Amino acid sequence: MFLLKKHTQKDDSDQRDAKISELRTAIGPLSGRSSMYCTDACLRRYLEARNWNVFKAKRMLEETIKWRLTYKPEEIRWHEVAHEGETGKVSRANFHDRQGRTVLIMRPGMQNTISAENNIRHLVYLIENAILNLSEGQEQMSWLIDFTGFSLSTSVPIRTARDIIYILQSHYPERLAIAFLYNPPRFFEAFYKAVRLFLDPKTAQKVKFVYPKSKDSVELMQSYFDVENLPSEFGGNATLKYDHEEFSRSMARDDVKTAKFWGIDEKPHQISNGHSATPEPARIAQRAS
């Protein structure tokens, strides 16, 4: 039985490797950043998102390549979107989850702008940054969404939410491991019902509503996070304090890493405290794909 299981796993792995090769042949020769983007790990994610259907994965990947060539997410720099992050409505946490995944913290109650385009660009920047900061061997991120201060006046329009979901599902497949919606108000349920219509079943399964008074919710959170790292807003023991200047310095340093990885020749940009970002030695693996 053990040998049969071992052979089955090997056969499955061989078949999937063959699918990756088939997809690579199907998309044809690539150059520049598109070639850098389409690593084997990248192709595997697109195949997984389309249940290993090469034709569907090819069509999905081609749309992403077109989008990246026009939107150029790897060229967005922090100083271009920093005004969107002044309140800390979306930021990268200074800790990982138990699986070594990068954590994005979202606080919709801190919404400070009304431009849908700028909100989306800010989020795309931080998704790219989260990927840059993944632990070795890890390809997914976790989202923690804090609903403190959330109201109808601070919620993003349904249309903006739909556009964000489209970008996440279409151009960052299999990048989201799980999204915790922590203690959302009751009226949010109506908003989510409308938004859920745009979620594919696989993404919808990754969205978890958690409540501080629910034993199951507490156990679920603790299975994903060390309570000593987890901010108190999410039931942990740590203190979450967003410092925009400090975060800006960190993002400016990461911008240098991003430019280096993609081979973009640019000068560090001056940041708010008057000091320019300087390169820091760092090994950037193929996790930017």
Side-chain angles (χ1 to χ4, degrees):
M1 181 65 71
F2 174 76
L3 289 176
L4 178 62
K5 184 177 180 180
K6 186 174 181 179
H7 281 298
T8 301
Q9 290 174 341
K10 184 179 185 302
D11 291 343
D12 288 345
S13 178
D14 289 344
Q15 289 175 9
R16 292 186 174 188
D17 287 344
K19 291 278 190 179
I20 293 172
S21 297
E22 186 180 345
L23 177 55
R24 185 169 296 285
T25 300
I27 61 175
L30 298 168
S31 60
R33 297 178 201 169
S34 295
S35 177
M36 293 176 64
Y37 178 77
C38 292
T39 62
D40 283 357
C42 173
L43 269 55
R44 181 182 293 273
R45 287 193 299 274
Y46 281 81
L47 284 163
E48 287 181 353
R50 290 297 178 261
N51 296 314
W52 294 88
N53 182 302
V54 174
F55 174 77
K56 292 181 178 179
K58 173 180 178 287
R59 188 167 57 184
M60 184 185 191
L61 180 54
E62 286 175 340
E63 287 301 312
T64 294
I65 291 172
K66 291 178 183 177
W67 176 76
R68 293 189 71 90
L69 286 172
T70 55
Y71 200 85
K72 295 180 173 28
E74 73 281 0
E75 291 187 10
I76 304 173
R77 295 296 175 260
W78 177 248
H79 69 268
E80 300 171 30
V81 297
H83 64 284
E84 290 288 336
E86 288 178 352
T87 59
K89 64 185 177 187
V90 186
S91 62
R92 194 189 81 235
N94 61 0
F95 59 90
H96 290 75
D97 69 11
R98 291 188 185 276
Q99 299 300 317
R101 303 182 185 104
T102 307
V103 179
L104 284 186
I105 294 178
M106 303 180 180
R107 299 190 283 184
M110 296 292 188
Q111 182 58 253
N112 60 327
T113 62
I114 59 173
S115 169
E117 181 180 348
N118 289 340
N119 269 284
I120 293 171
R121 192 169 175 80
H122 175 238
L123 180 59
V124 166
Y125 171 88
L126 285 167
I127 290 174
E128 291 278 323
N129 181 267
I131 293 169
L132 179 75
N133 285 281
L134 286 171
S135 299
E136 184 65 30
Q138 183 54 258
E139 297 193 0
Q140 294 184 309
M141 68 189 81
S142 296
W143 289 6
L144 287 174
I145 306 174
D146 172 22
F147 282 87
T148 301
F150 179 77
S151 67
L152 291 175
S153 63
T154 60
S155 62
V156 299
I158 294 292
R159 183 175 179 178
T160 303
R162 181 195 64 189
D163 291 344
I164 290 171
I165 290 169
Y166 174 79
I167 288 174
L168 177 67
Q169 293 184 158
S170 300
H171 303 315
Y172 295 96
E174 298 303 313
R175 283 301 194 184
L176 178 65
I178 194 163
F180 290 103
L181 279 59
Y182 196 81
N183 202 27
R186 186 173 296 274
F187 68 80
F188 177 79
E189 294 178 8
F191 178 84
Y192 181 71
K193 285 180 180 178
V195 168
R196 189 182 174 118
L197 297 174
F198 309 115
L199 293 175
D200 66 41
K202 289 183 72 174
T203 303
Q205 290 177 359
K206 297 175 181 179
V207 178
K208 306 295 182 184
F209 281 70
V210 293
Y211 300 92
K213 294 183 180 180
S214 166
K215 181 181 177 181
D216 290 342
S217 290
V218 171
E219 290 178 351
L220 181 63
M221 291 291 288
Q222 291 181 358
S223 70
Y224 277 85
F225 299 96
D226 182 340
V227 293
E228 297 305 315
N229 293 331
L230 194 64
S232 58
E233 288 85 343
F234 300 100
N237 298 331
T239 300
L240 174 62
K241 182 181 179 182
Y242 178 75
D243 184 321
H244 187 59
E245 287 196 8
E246 181 180 342
F247 191 73
S248 293
R249 287 191 289 271
S250 177
M251 294 301 98
R253 289 191 292 268
D254 278 357
D255 283 350
V256 176
K257 298 179 191 178
T258 299
K260 182 178 180 181
F261 176 82
W262 292 106
I264 301 171
D265 186 18
E266 60 182 35
K267 295 179 180 180
H269 188 270
Q270 293 295 117
I271 52 181
S272 59
N273 65 353
H275 299 293
S276 61
T278 54
E280 289 187 344
R283 184 173 64 82
I284 304 178
Q286 291 290 348
R287 55 192 177 215
S289 59

